[in-house]
Amino acid sequence: MPRPSRPALLALAALLALPGALRAGWESIGSLPAAGATASSLVHRDPRVAVSVTALSPEIVRVRYAPTGSFARDHSWAVVRSDLGPARAAVTPGPSASEIVTSALRVRVSFAPFRIAFFDAGGELLDEDDPVRGMAHAGAEVRVWKRLQDDEVVYGFGEKNGRLDKRGWSLGGYHYTMWNTDTYAYDSSTDPMYVSVPFFIVMRNGKAHGIFLDNTFRSTFDVGRESRSLLSFGAEGGELDYYFIQGPHPKDVVARYTALTGRIPLPPRWALGFHQCRWSYFPESRVRLLASTFREKRVPADTLWLDIDYQRDFKPFTWDRGRFPDPGKMIADLRAQGFRVVTIVDPHPTKEPGYPVYDEGIAGGHFVKTAAGTVFEGPVWPSNAAKNAGNSVFPDFTRPATRQWWGGLYREFLDLGVAGIWNDMNEPAVWIRPANTMPPDVRHDNEGLPTDHREVHNLYGMLNSRSTFEGLSRLRPDARPFVLTRSSFAGGQRYAAVWPGDNTADWTSLRQSLPTLMGLGLSGFAFVGADVGGFAHDASAELYTRWIQAGIFSPFMRAHSEAAAADKEPWSYGARHEAVNRRAVELRYELLPEIYDVMEEASRTGIPAMRPMFLEFPEDRETWSRDDQLFFGPDLLAAPVLSEGVVSREVYLPAGEWFDFWTGAPVAGGRTFRVPVTIDSLPIYVRAGAFVFRQPVVQHTGQMAGQPLLVHVYPAPRSEASFYEDDGETMAYARGESARRRFAQRREAGSVTVEAAAVEGPYRPAARDLVFTLVGEGTASRVLADGQALARVEPSAFDAAGTGWTARDGSVTVKVRDRPEALRLTIER
Ligand code: GLC
């Protein structure tokens, strides 16, 4: 991955390094008198500036800086503020400095000049305003400069290119902009991208805190780039409204950030299967051929996607009836083969009287307007249509009535059996040069406080997907909505999965996908995946195979390709690669019980499924900048091959004991080593003590019911795990229809005990076997289930046998009938 280029800002950096210097036009807050305090907050004000500092919980403190002297409407699109708990703060006003103390934080506010510093409960300084610059404004722009220590590493910022550690290499630092942008065929230095999440995590010696800037205007973040010892952020308008979020574990920071901004909804299980897309599969016969090819070739898959060419003249909510004469029948037939269909619906209806979406939108005042008050129009896909080409108009998703209207338009598609909706081009992309979006003075309702596009731009995609999500929820209240969006903003994880747009079919892009997706996960977006195979240009057979292998560990796994590129289907690269690609997708399906369990955790806690190494091992400095390996959940460490033509791959395993996923062999951690690889290789390691939940290969998630649950138990003296299940499809889980089971193992000299506690919760899966594999156990003298000896079965007869145990592949495998009551297995040595 190329090192980020350093701009020639040396002169500016030198200027900023001078004590007291601030770029021309910036007015830093000088002294600011106290103007009041409450049980949990301090307010400071003079005629030009108002600042408040408020403890929202023991670990979360909100700072608002209004450069106008008074605070604006307190309204947030991102923050939902659930389960924060009481702050229980002690506020101590003083003559030259005041303090807010909670059980986790001490916040010192000094008045002259006005600066804020955050300390942990033990008195360690976590974060402080730069004494020279502090908070400042220049016209409508607001900014804060904070101290950045040499030993701090920085993560997050949502969908970004470059390394996971945003200090960059050798403290080179990154400068990022938040301004949602359609970036076709981007590379690993492209910025900004499609999604804006103004949130980051700072970690020092394994202890972390986070900062979320709740501001939707164009914002920029400078991580030690302008000056190595400074981190600054600010926006082109609005308040400097930020939340300081204490850890100290980085998982605590992510959990608290997602308590503030919300978590992903639990996806339907089918959405965790394999998705096949291209721009575009048409006509109907080609879609049907695609479906039957998956089943004939026995490559598992759940979802087929229809890109823009299924529509009439690229008009949202229409079908090209020449290409798709009977979409309802086609979708029903595909459903019978175990497929779901997702359709693209972009937010740019054509300006065409007589087209109902246009007519209704005009009648309802639903489209955004120019500064002069006329409906704004601009070219997007419909302007490229062969017939009836025209400009588009754009719904104002900041208006509740418009979100409601647009969401309701999905009714006909759902009635036809469409399973999920794909929202694209919602940065919004508008082909007007040079900005490639709406002009900055376009007007938006902004929930009753009209504003212009500068403030709304970064929200457009999030509110588009919100309107879709809420529409789907209303129209089909008992089905879990599935929405994929290209553009979004902080908090958008509540409504839609995200894919990082138009990546490129090259090795850099594959390599980049890991830090980008992990950065999204750290920033609340736990349901993410990049286009497998790369969108722009053709993929080589080797690249495609490596991408599908890596894609197993993306929460969202979809192959996609641009119109001009060759097919990117698992069988598009010859028989040898077809076999390897099939095996990769099969592994995804074998792991689905585990994947679903980890996604449920993400929906409940915010901790992403795809985790950077440091999230699991924050004290281990080797993990801080490792971004070519990942954890899926807490126990599976994947080191997919990300380079061309290699015969080995470097792996780092943190201290402790590990097991090779494929052979079960123990592997010592605390070291870096090379593993030999061939095209079939996908190095995966399992943490000692893990319980990994699997199933036999199925062709789609509809075949999961009744499959045995395969529980692989990796040795440790003692360990515990829990496993979540529900019907995988409906909202019944939200009413408590789920099941959780706790597992434990205990090893003594002569025996191993494995316990499955009684199932908690009312959900019951279809009748099935429960098959435990005690990895590396070799053999046993006796195996007992609840004290009753089980029959020993020959390995070759085991799969067909009922209850019993066998010794095979270096492990002891035990099969019992699943039942909700507690179960104890004793494996006597
Ligand atoms: C955009 C999307 C891409 C899609 C294409 C046509 O480029 O990012 O995924 O295939 O538009 O709809």
Side-chain angles (χ1 to χ4, degrees):
M1 191 175 304
R3 186 189 161 147
S5 66
R6 247 184 184 290
L9 283 174
L10 291 177
L12 178 63
L15 179 70
L16 287 170
L18 290 174
L22 202 52
R23 176 152 59 87
W26 283 108
E27 193 183 328
S28 177
I29 310 187
S31 6
L32 197 59
T38 69
S40 58
S41 79
L42 292 164
V43 178
H44 284 245
R45 196 191 297 271
D46 70 11
R48 306 156 305 131
V49 173
V51 180
S52 66
V53 183
T54 307
L56 301 177
S57 77
E59 300 86 7
I60 304 181
V61 174
R62 180 181 179 193
V63 176
R64 293 177 76 183
Y65 162 38
T68 53
S70 59
F71 297 114
R73 172 177 70 161
D74 192 5
H75 173 277
S76 174
W77 299 97
V79 170
V80 286
R81 249 193 238 172
S82 59
D83 59 64
L84 291 186
R88 286 195 244 281
V91 175
T92 322
S96 61
S98 300
E99 284 196 343
I100 301 179
V101 178
T102 70
S103 57
L105 286 171
R106 182 160 64 85
V107 188
R108 193 188 63 215
V109 174
S110 27
F111 308 173
F114 186 89
R115 299 290 181 264
I116 305 174
F118 298 86
F119 303 83
D120 71 11
E124 193 179 324
L125 177 65
L126 302 174
D127 173 81
E128 62 175 331
D129 290 353
D130 174 50
V132 176
R133 298 155 193 81
M135 294 192 280
H137 66 269
E141 254 187 271
V142 285
R143 196 161 193 87
V144 63
W145 282 263
K146 290 172 170 288
R147 287 272 192 86
L148 182 64
Q149 312 288 344
D150 273 356
D151 56 356
E152 284 175 326
V153 285
V154 179
Y155 305 102
F157 299 113
E159 185 186 74
K160 287 300 178 194
N161 281 304
R163 301 300 303 258
L164 184 75
D165 172 6
K166 303 309 186 192
R167 292 305 287 276
W169 290 359
S170 321
L171 304 183
Y174 284 88
H175 183 95
Y176 285 121
T177 298
M178 301 295 170
W179 184 255
N180 295 349
T181 305
D182 178 2
T183 49
Y184 170 76
Y186 61 88
D187 65 30
S188 57
S189 63
T190 305
D191 191 71
M193 294 264 287
Y194 307 89
V195 173
S196 291
V197 190
F199 166 70
F200 61 93
I201 298 170
V202 177
M203 191 168 80
R204 190 177 186 202
N205 297 324
K207 291 186 185 160
H209 63 266
I211 289 184
F212 168 51
L213 174 65
D214 192 9
N215 182 310
T216 62
F217 286 86
R218 183 194 296 264
S219 58
T220 60
F221 292 76
D222 193 289
V223 185
R225 175 99 165 231
E226 202 178 68
S227 159
R228 173 176 165 146
S229 58
L230 291 175
L231 185 156
S232 73
F233 57 88
E236 289 188 356
E239 291 176 7
L240 190 83
D241 180 357
Y242 75 86
Y243 294 77
F244 181 93
I245 304 167
Q246 166 59 342
H249 197 290
K251 283 186 182 171
D252 298 333
V253 180
V254 176
R256 294 191 177 116
Y257 168 71
T258 54
L260 267 185
T261 61
R263 295 174 178 141
I264 61 162
L266 182 59
R269 203 158 46 188
W270 61 264
L272 300 174
F274 183 67
H275 300 255
Q276 182 68 47
C277 189
R278 80 163 282 124
W279 173 15
S280 302
Y281 290 118
F282 73 88
E284 178 181 318
S285 56
R286 187 165 178 211
V287 178
R288 288 179 179 275
L289 179 63
L290 179 73
S292 56
T293 310
F294 269 104
R295 297 301 179 237
E296 272 156 29
K297 291 185 172 290
R298 300 198 63 76
V299 178
D302 266 80
T303 311
L304 307 179
W305 290 58
L306 298 182
D307 205 333
I308 50 174
D309 299 280
Y310 79 87
Q311 305 165 112
R312 183 160 37 84
D313 311 323
F314 302 135
K315 282 204 284 280
F317 303 106
T318 66
W319 290 84
D320 180 325
R321 294 282 173 167
R323 292 169 176 172
F324 294 91
D326 190 349
K329 171 86 169 65
M330 177 189 77
I331 292 169
D333 291 348
L334 294 172
R335 191 74 195 84
Q337 290 174 276
F339 288 102
R340 254 86 179 186
V341 172
V342 172
T343 54
I344 199 167
V345 178
D346 292 344
H348 48 225
T350 317
K351 178 191 178 189
E352 186 188 284
Y355 163 41
V357 178
Y358 176 73
D359 291 346
E360 278 178 31
I362 291 291
H366 292 307
F367 300 128
V368 296
K369 302 211 171 59
T370 65
T374 58
V375 170
F376 167 74
E377 53 182 88
V380 206
W381 296 123
S383 70
N384 273 4
K387 282 182 295 172
N388 307 312
N391 269 343
S392 289
V393 291
F394 300 84
D396 184 356
F397 295 112
T398 66
R399 188 171 172 257
T402 301
R403 289 201 296 276
Q404 172 102 12
W405 166 67
W406 188 263
L409 295 176
Y410 293 104
R411 175 183 298 279
E412 195 189 312
F413 273 44
L414 298 191
D415 289 347
L416 289 171
V418 168
I421 298 294
W422 175 18
N423 288 156
D424 187 26
M425 303 297 275
N426 49 6
E427 292 68 33
V430 187
W431 300 333
I432 303 175
R433 282 166 196 279
N436 205 33
T437 192
M438 292 177 188
D441 60 355
V442 160
R443 304 296 298 169
H444 298 262
D445 172 72
N446 193 27
E447 286 191 344
L449 198 65
T451 187
D452 68 27
H453 194 64
R454 275 173 273 252
E455 187 171 357
V456 166
H457 177 83
N458 283 337
L459 289 165
Y460 199 83
M462 165 173 164
L463 295 179
N464 171 211
S465 60
R466 174 174 170 183
S467 162
T468 305
F469 177 85
E470 290 173 350
L472 265 46
S473 300
R474 275 197 311 275
L475 292 166
R476 223 168 29 190
D478 206 39
R480 299 180 203 173
F482 172 76
V483 183
L484 180 73
T485 187
R486 191 169 72 176
S487 185
S488 199
F489 185 73
Q493 66 268 15
R494 303 192 295 265
Y495 312 117
V498 157
W499 97 105
D502 298 344
N503 62 359
T504 306
D506 63 24
W507 292 91
T508 316
S509 207
L510 168 60
R511 172 68 183 83
Q512 179 64 62
S513 68
L514 266 66
T516 299
L517 296 174
M518 290 191 286
L520 274 161
L522 291 172
S523 311
F525 285 83
F527 195 16
V528 291
D531 285 348
V532 166
F535 176 75
H537 316 316
D538 292 341
S540 70
E542 185 186 357
L543 176 66
Y544 184 87
T545 290
R546 291 310 190 194
W547 214 315
I548 208 165
Q549 290 171 338
I552 293 169
F553 299 101
S554 292
F556 173 62
M557 185 186 188
R558 183 185 74 157
H560 185 33
S561 185
E562 70 176 335
D567 287 342
K568 291 182 183 119
E569 287 137 22
W571 51 82
S572 301
Y573 304 90
R576 170 90 180 95
H577 282 271
E578 181 180 321
V580 184
N581 299 341
R582 175 187 301 107
R583 185 65 202 109
V585 183
E586 285 179 348
L587 177 61
R588 170 86 179 190
Y589 277 79
E590 288 178 87
L591 287 172
L592 271 181
E594 175 80 14
I595 292 172
Y596 191 65
D597 177 73
V598 171
M599 291 303 284
E600 189 276 334
E601 182 187 347
S603 72
R604 187 167 34 82
T605 67
I607 307 304
M610 184 179 180
R611 304 177 186 174
M613 301 283 291
F614 84 85
L615 202 56
E616 290 296 327
F617 288 87
E619 310 81 23
D620 177 354
R621 63 174 53 244
E622 278 297 312
T623 66
W624 297 349
S625 58
R626 282 270 161 186
D627 56 12
D628 65 345
Q629 306 180 171
L630 63 102
F631 274 100
F632 194 92
D635 295 321
L636 292 178
L637 191 160
V641 178
L642 304 170
S643 338
E644 185 170 21
V646 294
V647 293
S648 67
R649 201 253 193 237
E650 188 184 281
V651 175
Y652 173 70
L653 293 182
E657 217 189 329
W658 301 84
F659 293 87
D660 184 300
F661 175 84
W662 300 102
T663 65
V667 187
R671 67 197 177 101
T672 304
F673 56 94
R674 296 200 76 84
V675 276
V677 297
T678 65
I679 191 67
D680 311 81
S681 307
L682 173 52
I684 306 172
Y685 301 88
V686 188
R687 205 197 283 243
F691 287 74
V692 178
F693 301 94
R694 298 170 61 169
Q695 66 176 0
V697 173
V698 293
Q699 295 303 306
H700 56 89
T701 54
Q703 295 177 342
M704 283 173 70
Q707 295 292 335
L709 180 65
L710 311 179
V711 185
H712 289 242
V713 185
Y714 290 84
R718 293 180 104 86
S719 72
E720 287 178 14
S722 87
F723 179 63
Y724 175 86
E725 281 181 296
D726 59 27
D727 69 23
E729 204 170 330
T730 74
M731 294 302 293
Y733 80 95
R735 302 185 293 269
E737 279 290 320
S738 61
R740 187 176 297 284
R741 190 164 214 179
R742 307 206 181 259
F743 291 83
Q745 67 171 317
R746 205 173 55 241
R747 286 177 193 247
E748 282 137 18
S751 68
V752 184
T753 309
V754 175
E755 285 171 343
V759 172
E760 299 157 40
Y763 174 74
R764 295 289 173 265
R768 66 180 176 192
D769 289 333
L770 206 48
V771 180
F772 293 86
T773 297
L774 285 105
V775 175
E777 189 57 25
T779 189
S781 61
R782 268 205 322 166
V783 175
L784 309 158
D786 292 327
Q788 301 287 315
L790 295 176
R792 179 170 187 166
V793 182
E794 280 309 304
S796 57
F798 186 76
D799 288 336
T803 307
W805 72 275
T806 194
R808 63 178 184 194
D809 306 327
S811 301
V812 169
T813 300
V814 186
K815 191 192 298 182
V816 293
R817 225 34 207 157
D818 192 10
R819 54 191 168 85
E821 294 81 36
L823 165 74
R824 194 177 72 248
L825 298 180
T826 314
I827 294 87
E828 294 180 353
R829 289 173 164 154

